[in-house]
Amino acid sequence: MSAPETEERADADSARPVARSGNSFVGDVWVNFKRWNLKAVRNPFVLVVSLVQPIIFLVLFTEVFGNVAGGAVNQGLPGVSYETYLVPAIAIQVALAAAITSGVGLVNDIENGMFEKVLVTPMNRTAVFVGKTAAEVFRIAVQIVIILGLGVLLGAEIVTGIVGVVGIVAVGILFSLWFVALSNALAIITRDQESTIIGANLLQFPLLFLSSAFLPLAALPGWVQTFARFNPVTYGVDAARSLIIDQDVMTVLDVSWFGGTLDGVVPGVAVLVGLDLVFGGIAVYLLSRASSSDVK
């Protein structure tokens, strides 16, 4: 082939559109789902840490404070043991603790250069976030099931049976999504592991203790009750608690549209879905705006 022909062929090749990706959106999600699950398996310490703390809370509160707190619970929910009352709260705590580690994992990617490599690939940015979130949701679901099983061993009763278990896991997942998004947003903004951990943990305990998680709101000071009305934990816990005891126990919204248990579940689920959409949109926006130069 002559030199002019070679140049013409090279020009034609360079003029052809470059295929940005051979994967579909679902394919990109699947790739990221597998990668983050493999990363979790290779670093089981993170999984253990996010599960151990809620287990300690479950055992400590039921065994040490059960008698005192149980009296307050029985005033509003006669016949409900403190173990049964507490288990939904610990399920939400598991979702919260596991969601915190989501941002830490992203910061780790940023620090070791993996996030920069992902940014320069042709993968869809939204699919990157969705795949990562799906892997964490899978892990959170498994951990909530473990907590529910341990709670039953300690004396908790899931009145609604398997349907209730599935429902509580679903509520826990819905609750976790907004905090997963917040944790990842913190990671993208700070690009620092310590800052992400501190920022997320500063929110964890106020959210838990200034809610209906460990005691009925009626037994708490007035300012705590006010804060609890705007606290996502309250909506997640009350929805899960309604499912475990098959009663409407929603304390911050008075809904009577459905009758019975659904009056406690649907308002909580609606609030959580709204939070998921808002914070998820923020996280995807920050991820889509990120560039390789931002994370160097």
Side-chain angles (χ1 to χ4, degrees):
M1 184 179 293
S2 64
E5 290 176 340
T6 302
E7 291 177 0
E8 289 177 4
R9 184 168 183 177
D11 291 340
D13 289 340
S14 63
R16 292 174 186 167
V18 178
R20 294 297 297 161
S21 174
N23 279 341
S24 63
F25 180 86
V26 175
D28 288 341
V29 170
W30 177 245
V31 167
N32 284 278
F33 176 79
K34 289 194 298 182
R35 185 174 85 81
W36 283 100
N37 275 319
L38 287 172
K39 188 172 182 178
V41 170
R42 290 169 181 167
N43 186 19
F45 178 76
V46 174
L47 301 178
V48 172
V49 168
S50 63
L51 188 59
V52 165
Q53 187 184 77
I55 289 176
I56 292 174
F57 269 65
L58 178 61
V59 175
L60 182 66
F61 273 77
T62 54
E63 298 300 319
V64 178
F65 304 113
N67 290 334
V68 177
V73 170
N74 281 322
Q75 289 181 6
L77 296 170
V80 176
S81 68
Y82 188 62
E83 290 81 5
T84 301
Y85 183 86
L86 184 63
V87 163
I90 302 301
I92 296 299
Q93 185 186 0
V94 164
L96 188 61
I100 290 173
T101 65
S102 176
V104 177
L106 182 56
V107 171
N108 182 255
D109 260 20
I110 292 173
E111 291 177 343
N112 65 26
M114 186 63 194
F115 186 58
E116 183 182 353
K117 295 175 183 176
V118 170
L119 290 178
V120 298
T121 66
M123 283 193 294
N124 184 290
R125 299 286 178 85
T126 302
V128 171
F129 178 70
V130 171
K132 181 178 185 296
T133 302
E136 283 146 2
V137 162
F138 175 74
R139 171 165 53 92
I140 289 168
V142 172
Q143 291 180 323
I144 291 175
V145 170
I146 292 172
I147 286 296
L148 293 177
L150 180 60
V152 171
L153 290 176
L154 290 173
E157 181 183 4
I158 303 176
V159 177
T160 49
I162 296 298
V163 174
V165 170
V166 173
I168 293 169
V169 171
V171 169
I173 289 171
L174 279 176
F175 176 84
S176 71
L177 290 176
W178 76 271
F179 209 82
V180 165
L182 176 61
S183 180
N184 281 274
L186 285 173
I188 296 170
I189 292 170
T190 65
R191 302 167 203 142
D192 178 74
Q193 190 167 353
E194 290 183 0
S195 299
T196 302
I197 294 172
I198 291 170
N201 276 313
L202 278 176
L203 291 173
Q204 180 183 8
F205 289 108
L207 287 173
L208 281 171
F209 286 100
L210 300 180
S211 71
S212 60
F214 302 115
L215 283 171
L217 287 186
L220 298 173
W223 68 271
V224 176
Q225 296 182 35
T226 300
F227 186 91
R229 293 182 183 277
F230 303 95
N231 186 345
V233 171
T234 299
Y235 294 92
V237 168
D238 283 359
R241 191 168 284 147
S242 296
L243 285 167
I244 198 172
I245 65 175
D246 200 17
Q247 296 181 37
D248 172 16
V249 297
M250 178 60 66
T251 52
V252 291
L253 288 176
D254 185 14
V255 173
S256 57
W257 301 335
F258 307 96
T261 304
L262 288 179
D263 287 336
V265 176
V266 174
V269 167
V271 170
L272 295 179
V273 168
L275 287 170
D276 294 342
L277 292 175
V278 171
F279 283 93
I282 292 172
V284 170
Y285 171 77
L286 291 173
L287 186 62
S288 65
R289 296 270 298 178
S291 66
S292 59
S293 60
D294 292 333
V295 297
K296 284 182 179 177

